[in-house]
Amino acid sequence: IYEEKEKDIAAARKVYQRVCREGEYTFRDTDELAQLWAGWVEFELRHESWDTALSVARQSVSNPEPEKRNRVTRGLSRSLRLWGLLLDLEESLGTVQTAKDAYNRVIETKVATPSHILNYASFLAEHKYFEESFNAYERGVELFPFPHPGAKLIWKTYLDSFLTRYEGTKIPRTRELFDRCIEVWVV
């Protein structure tokens, strides 16, 4: 209402802040609150407040203050919706380091999906961090071992990327990678 009818952006921000940060409203589940945080980020993007949007996205997945923790707010740090939004914004608006930090956090908290691993490795390769890209694949194959459906895709992309990068050099390392892949696939 404030945004569309009243054209009062400041009042709309205050409503988002009261509901998301200050916990003025009690939500039934985490997804409802995550949807509101995502709405706030999208609101900021619509109004070209890039830094604010990135800041709100970062806050959405951070752990709330102890006095504001409850079942619903604790779950925000595991919301795929919010992590996906944050990772996209970090890649486009943040620095390479902040994007790397966000991807590392999503992997450490075990919220990452196979597509997050692939996106992270691709992001690193695009920025010429090839060895870090291979480390991201390594973390992915540890996080998603066979028979997980994403394991095959991660291994395939990892091997393709390695072969493309080194084009026939590093034969012992290439052999070791293929041996590991076959070993974990068969077991």
Side-chain angles (χ1 to χ4, degrees):
I1 293 173
Y2 285 115
E3 179 184 12
E4 293 175 9
K5 291 185 180 175
E6 302 292 323
K7 307 290 187 220
D8 190 352
I9 305 307
R13 276 192 185 105
K14 286 179 186 175
V15 170
Y16 276 120
Q17 186 166 359
R18 283 193 344 250
V19 176
C20 293
R21 284 191 192 143
E22 297 167 14
E24 188 174 282
Y25 180 80
T26 304
F27 291 89
R28 286 182 304 185
D29 61 17
T30 301
D31 195 49
E32 281 185 345
L33 183 54
Q35 188 173 359
L36 193 62
W37 275 98
W40 187 3
V41 172
E42 291 164 1
F43 164 82
E44 297 297 350
L45 291 173
R46 278 193 304 276
H47 295 285
E48 299 180 1
S49 298
W50 316 119
D51 292 338
T52 306
L54 186 56
S55 175
V56 169
R58 288 174 180 158
Q59 291 170 31
S60 71
V61 294
S62 65
N63 288 323
E65 298 90 38
E67 66 274 1
K68 293 184 182 172
R69 286 188 187 150
N70 60 40
R71 178 185 59 81
V72 173
T73 57
R74 277 193 312 267
L76 286 176
S77 64
R78 303 197 52 81
S79 169
L80 283 175
R81 172 191 302 233
L82 294 176
W83 275 109
L85 188 56
L86 175 61
L87 294 172
D88 286 345
L89 289 176
E90 286 290 2
E91 281 191 33
S92 58
L93 301 174
T95 65
V96 172
Q97 188 58 50
T98 60
K100 286 168 51 175
D101 292 343
Y103 273 112
N104 286 327
R105 256 185 68 214
V106 78
I107 292 170
E108 288 165 7
T109 57
K110 296 189 177 3
V111 179
T113 65
S115 64
H116 289 141
I117 300 296
L118 296 172
N119 290 344
Y120 184 30
S122 174
F123 173 79
L124 290 168
E126 286 172 13
H127 288 86
K128 309 282 188 251
Y129 292 95
F130 298 107
E131 284 304 317
E132 287 185 47
S133 172
F134 299 141
N135 286 339
Y137 286 121
E138 287 289 338
R139 292 173 76 186
V141 296
E142 287 176 21
L143 200 56
F144 302 102
F146 286 112
H148 189 282
K152 182 178 179 182
L153 183 59
I154 293 171
W155 269 109
K156 182 182 181 328
T157 310
Y158 182 14
L159 294 170
D160 287 344
S161 297
F162 191 85
L163 291 172
T164 302
R165 171 75 180 138
Y166 291 113
E167 297 178 349
T169 61
K170 303 217 180 212
I171 301 296
R173 188 169 168 196
T174 305
R175 183 178 295 120
E176 185 262 331
L177 273 177
F178 275 92
D179 287 345
R180 278 187 42 224
C181 181
I182 291 168
E183 181 181 307
V184 294
W185 192 319
V186 172
V187 173

